[in-house]
Protein backbone atom coordinates (compact mmCIF):
# COMPACT_ATOMS: atom_id res chain seq x y z
CA UNK A 1 0.00 0.00 0.00
CA UNK A 2 2.82 2.43 0.83
CA UNK A 3 4.36 1.74 -2.58
CA UNK A 4 1.05 2.46 -4.34
CA UNK A 5 0.63 5.72 -2.45
CA UNK A 6 4.15 6.79 -3.37
CA UNK A 7 3.51 6.14 -7.06
CA UNK A 8 0.29 8.14 -6.94
CA UNK A 9 2.11 11.04 -5.30
CA UNK A 10 4.78 11.08 -8.01
CA UNK A 11 2.23 10.92 -10.82
CA UNK A 12 0.18 13.67 -9.22
CA UNK A 13 3.18 15.97 -9.01
CA UNK A 14 4.26 15.28 -12.58
CA UNK A 15 0.80 16.03 -13.96
CA UNK A 16 1.01 19.59 -12.61
CA UNK A 17 4.08 20.47 -14.64
CA UNK A 18 3.95 22.26 -17.98
CA UNK A 19 3.90 19.98 -21.00
CA UNK A 20 6.10 20.65 -24.02
CA UNK A 21 3.20 22.64 -25.50
CA UNK A 22 2.90 24.76 -22.38
CA UNK A 23 6.64 25.34 -22.31
CA UNK A 24 6.69 26.44 -25.94
CA UNK A 25 3.77 28.81 -25.37
CA UNK A 26 5.60 30.51 -22.49
CA UNK A 27 8.84 30.85 -24.44
CA UNK A 28 6.96 32.18 -27.47
CA UNK A 29 5.25 34.96 -25.51
CA UNK A 30 8.64 36.02 -24.15
CA UNK A 31 10.37 35.92 -27.54
CA UNK A 32 7.60 37.81 -29.35
CA UNK A 33 8.11 40.64 -26.86
CA UNK A 34 11.88 40.43 -27.08
CA UNK A 35 11.86 40.34 -30.88
CA UNK A 36 9.75 43.45 -31.17
CA UNK A 37 12.06 45.26 -28.73
CA UNK A 38 15.12 44.09 -30.66
CA UNK A 39 13.69 45.39 -33.94
CA UNK A 40 12.68 48.73 -32.44
CA UNK A 41 8.97 48.19 -33.07
CA UNK A 42 7.67 47.62 -29.54
CA UNK A 43 4.94 50.05 -28.54
CA UNK A 44 4.63 50.56 -24.79
CA UNK A 45 1.51 52.61 -24.11
CA UNK A 46 2.07 54.84 -27.13
CA UNK A 47 5.88 55.01 -27.00
CA UNK A 48 8.00 53.10 -29.53
CA UNK A 49 10.99 51.75 -27.64
CA UNK A 50 14.47 52.02 -29.19
CA UNK A 51 15.96 48.96 -30.89
CA UNK A 52 18.11 46.58 -28.87
CA UNK A 53 21.62 45.65 -29.97
CA UNK A 54 22.06 42.69 -27.60
CA UNK A 55 18.68 41.00 -27.02
CA UNK A 56 19.19 37.26 -26.52
CA UNK A 57 16.71 34.63 -27.61
CA UNK A 58 14.95 32.95 -24.69
CA UNK A 59 15.03 29.16 -24.30
CA UNK A 60 13.39 26.74 -21.88
CA UNK A 61 15.74 25.29 -19.27
CA UNK A 62 14.76 22.06 -17.50
CA UNK A 63 16.83 22.67 -14.36
CA UNK A 64 15.41 26.17 -13.92
CA UNK A 65 11.92 24.74 -14.47
CA UNK A 66 12.54 22.12 -11.77
CA UNK A 67 13.54 24.87 -9.35
CA UNK A 68 10.41 26.87 -10.19
CA UNK A 69 8.15 23.81 -9.91
CA UNK A 70 9.60 22.80 -6.56
CA UNK A 71 8.95 26.28 -5.24
CA UNK A 72 5.42 26.73 -6.58
CA UNK A 73 4.41 23.31 -5.22
CA UNK A 74 4.22 25.00 -1.81
CA UNK A 75 1.80 27.69 -3.08
CA UNK A 76 4.07 30.43 -1.68
CA UNK A 77 2.95 33.93 -0.84
CA UNK A 78 6.17 35.68 -1.82
CA UNK A 79 9.34 35.37 -3.83
CA UNK A 80 11.86 32.59 -3.23
CA UNK A 81 15.01 34.68 -3.37
CA UNK A 82 16.67 31.82 -5.27
CA UNK A 83 20.36 32.55 -5.71
CA UNK A 84 21.28 33.72 -9.19
CA UNK A 85 17.75 33.53 -10.57
CA UNK A 86 15.19 36.14 -11.48
CA UNK A 87 11.56 35.34 -10.70
CA UNK A 88 8.03 36.29 -11.74
CA UNK A 89 4.87 35.14 -9.97
CA UNK A 90 1.23 34.96 -11.03
CA UNK A 91 -2.03 33.96 -9.38
CA UNK A 92 -5.40 33.21 -10.95
CA UNK A 93 -8.70 32.66 -9.12
CA UNK A 94 -11.89 31.13 -10.47
CA UNK A 95 -15.19 29.89 -9.11
CA UNK A 96 -14.82 26.87 -11.41
CA UNK A 97 -12.35 24.12 -10.63
CA UNK A 98 -9.47 24.10 -13.16
CA UNK A 99 -8.92 21.09 -15.39
CA UNK A 100 -5.98 18.79 -14.81
CA UNK A 101 -4.19 20.38 -17.79
CA UNK A 102 -2.85 23.71 -16.55
CA UNK A 103 -0.83 24.60 -19.67
CA UNK A 104 -2.91 27.66 -20.53
CA UNK A 105 -1.91 29.40 -17.30
CA UNK A 106 1.71 29.73 -18.43
CA UNK A 107 0.94 31.86 -21.47
CA UNK A 108 -1.71 33.77 -19.50
CA UNK A 109 0.84 34.59 -16.81
CA UNK A 110 3.43 35.71 -19.36
CA UNK A 111 0.92 37.92 -21.17
CA UNK A 112 -0.18 39.51 -17.89
CA UNK A 113 3.43 40.40 -17.05
CA UNK A 114 4.06 41.91 -20.50
CA UNK A 115 0.84 43.92 -20.13
CA UNK A 116 2.54 46.02 -17.43
CA UNK A 117 4.29 47.90 -20.24
CA UNK A 118 0.87 48.63 -21.75
CA UNK A 119 -0.72 49.63 -18.46
CA UNK A 120 2.08 51.77 -17.02
CA UNK A 121 4.32 52.68 -19.94
CA UNK A 122 8.09 52.29 -20.16
CA UNK A 123 9.96 55.54 -19.67
CA UNK A 124 13.57 54.42 -19.47
CA UNK A 125 15.76 51.44 -20.32
CA UNK A 126 17.76 52.20 -17.17
CA UNK A 127 16.18 50.25 -14.35
CA UNK A 128 16.50 52.66 -11.47
CA UNK A 129 14.18 52.55 -8.48
CA UNK A 130 11.86 55.17 -9.97
CA UNK A 131 11.38 53.06 -13.12
CA UNK A 132 10.92 49.85 -11.14
CA UNK A 133 8.34 51.50 -8.89
CA UNK A 134 6.10 52.37 -11.84
CA UNK A 135 4.91 48.75 -11.68
CA UNK A 136 6.74 47.15 -14.61
CA UNK A 137 9.08 44.81 -12.72
CA UNK A 138 7.64 41.59 -14.16
CA UNK A 139 7.80 42.99 -17.70
CA UNK A 140 11.38 44.22 -17.35
CA UNK A 141 12.49 40.75 -16.27
CA UNK A 142 10.88 39.37 -19.45
CA UNK A 143 12.75 42.01 -21.47
CA UNK A 144 16.14 41.73 -19.73
CA UNK A 145 18.58 41.36 -22.62
CA UNK A 146 21.17 39.14 -20.91
CA UNK A 147 18.55 36.65 -19.69
CA UNK A 148 18.23 33.73 -22.09
CA UNK A 149 16.89 30.85 -19.99
CA UNK A 150 13.43 30.48 -18.47
CA UNK A 151 11.74 27.67 -16.59
CA UNK A 152 8.30 27.72 -14.99
CA UNK A 153 6.16 25.71 -12.63
CA UNK A 154 2.41 25.64 -12.07
CA UNK A 155 0.25 24.43 -9.20
CA UNK A 156 -3.46 24.03 -8.56
CA UNK A 157 -3.57 25.29 -4.98
CA UNK A 158 -7.22 24.33 -4.43
CA UNK A 159 -9.79 26.53 -2.72
CA UNK A 160 -8.50 29.76 -1.24
CA UNK A 161 -10.31 30.65 1.99
CA UNK A 162 -9.03 34.23 1.69
CA UNK A 163 -10.74 34.63 -1.69
CA UNK A 164 -14.25 33.33 -0.99
CA UNK A 165 -13.10 29.74 -1.50
CA UNK A 166 -12.40 30.31 -5.18
CA UNK A 167 -9.94 27.93 -6.83
CA UNK A 168 -6.41 29.29 -7.01
CA UNK A 169 -3.77 28.40 -9.61
CA UNK A 170 -0.27 29.77 -9.18
CA UNK A 171 2.57 30.11 -11.70
CA UNK A 172 6.23 30.78 -10.93
CA UNK A 173 8.77 31.47 -13.67
CA UNK A 174 12.47 31.73 -12.90
CA UNK A 175 15.11 33.28 -15.13
CA UNK A 176 18.83 32.92 -15.79
CA UNK A 177 20.81 35.10 -15.96
CA UNK A 178 18.99 37.09 -13.32
CA UNK A 179 17.47 40.38 -14.41
CA UNK A 180 16.09 43.45 -12.66
CA UNK A 181 19.48 44.57 -11.36
CA UNK A 182 19.02 48.14 -10.17
CA UNK A 183 20.86 50.98 -11.90
CA UNK A 184 21.60 48.75 -14.88
CA UNK A 185 20.32 49.09 -18.44
CA UNK A 186 17.64 46.54 -19.34
CA UNK A 187 19.24 46.28 -22.75
CA UNK A 188 21.78 48.08 -24.94
CA UNK A 189 20.38 50.52 -27.45
CA UNK A 190 21.67 50.21 -30.99
CA UNK A 191 21.18 48.56 -34.34
CA UNK A 192 19.44 45.19 -34.06
CA UNK A 193 21.90 42.36 -33.30
CA UNK A 194 24.89 44.72 -33.49
CA UNK A 195 26.20 43.72 -30.04
CA UNK A 196 25.39 40.00 -29.72
CA UNK A 197 27.39 38.24 -27.03
CA UNK A 198 30.43 36.19 -28.03
CA UNK A 199 29.38 32.74 -29.21
CA UNK A 200 25.95 33.85 -30.38
CA UNK A 201 24.76 34.83 -33.84
CA UNK A 202 21.97 37.01 -35.13
CA UNK A 203 18.72 35.29 -35.97
CA UNK A 204 17.67 37.67 -38.72
CA UNK A 205 13.98 36.72 -38.70
CA UNK A 206 13.56 37.62 -35.03
CA UNK A 207 16.38 40.10 -34.52
CA UNK A 208 17.48 38.07 -31.49
CA UNK A 209 20.96 36.87 -30.57
CA UNK A 210 20.72 33.07 -30.58
Amino acid sequence: MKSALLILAIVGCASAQFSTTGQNDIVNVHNVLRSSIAKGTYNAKGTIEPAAANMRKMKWDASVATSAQNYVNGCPGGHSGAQGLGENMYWSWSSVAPSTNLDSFGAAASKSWEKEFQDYGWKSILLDMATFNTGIGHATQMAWANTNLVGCGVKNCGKDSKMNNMYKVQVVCQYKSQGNILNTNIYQKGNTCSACASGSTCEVSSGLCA
Side-chain angles (χ1 to χ4, degrees):
M1 180 60 72
K2 289 183 179 179
S3 176
L5 289 174
L6 178 60
I7 292 171
L8 285 172
I10 293 173
V11 171
C13 177
S15 67
Q17 297 177 354
F18 287 112
S19 71
T20 300
T21 298
Q23 296 169 18
N24 290 339
D25 288 345
I26 291 167
V27 171
N28 183 61
V29 174
H30 282 72
N31 280 331
V32 167
L33 166 65
R34 294 168 74 85
S35 175
S36 60
I37 296 169
K39 293 178 177 180
T41 61
Y42 185 71
N43 187 325
K45 200 179 180 182
T47 299
I48 304 298
E49 302 299 328
N54 65 330
M55 187 67 70
R56 303 181 73 180
K57 187 173 184 178
M58 194 81 79
K59 299 185 297 184
W60 186 267
D61 185 85
S63 62
V64 175
T66 296
S67 172
Q69 186 65 56
N70 288 342
Y71 187 59
V72 79
N73 280 341
C75 296
H79 286 289
S80 67
Q83 187 68 30
L85 296 174
E87 188 172 270
N88 281 344
M89 304 183 75
Y90 169 87
W91 294 267
S92 175
W93 287 269
S94 173
S95 59
V96 179
S99 69
T100 55
N101 186 338
L102 302 178
D103 275 349
S104 64
F105 289 94
S110 303
K111 290 174 182 177
S112 77
W113 299 328
E114 184 271 331
K115 190 173 179 291
E116 292 174 350
F117 283 146
Q118 305 307 316
D119 291 341
Y120 307 117
W122 185 3
K123 305 291 186 186
S124 171
I125 65 167
L126 174 67
L127 189 70
D128 55 14
M129 187 56 73
T131 300
F132 184 82
N133 284 341
T134 61
I136 61 173
H138 297 96
T140 54
Q141 172 61 87
M142 290 181 68
W144 202 266
N146 287 329
T147 299
N148 73 318
L149 301 177
V150 61
C152 306
V154 61
K155 177 70 174 178
N156 176 0
C157 295
K159 292 184 177 181
D160 187 347
S161 60
K162 296 179 181 179
M163 294 291 287
N164 297 319
N165 281 326
M166 289 194 292
Y167 293 93
K168 180 173 78 170
V169 173
Q170 185 168 355
V171 175
V172 170
C173 286
Q174 294 180 340
Y175 299 84
K176 189 175 181 181
S177 299
Q178 180 178 354
N180 283 354
I181 300 170
L182 285 177
N183 301 315
T184 303
N185 284 337
I186 299 164
Y187 64 89
Q188 180 180 332
K189 288 193 290 186
N191 292 331
T192 305
C193 278
S194 62
C196 287
S198 177
S200 64
T201 59
C202 182
E203 184 180 82
V204 176
S205 60
S206 67
L208 299 175
C209 303

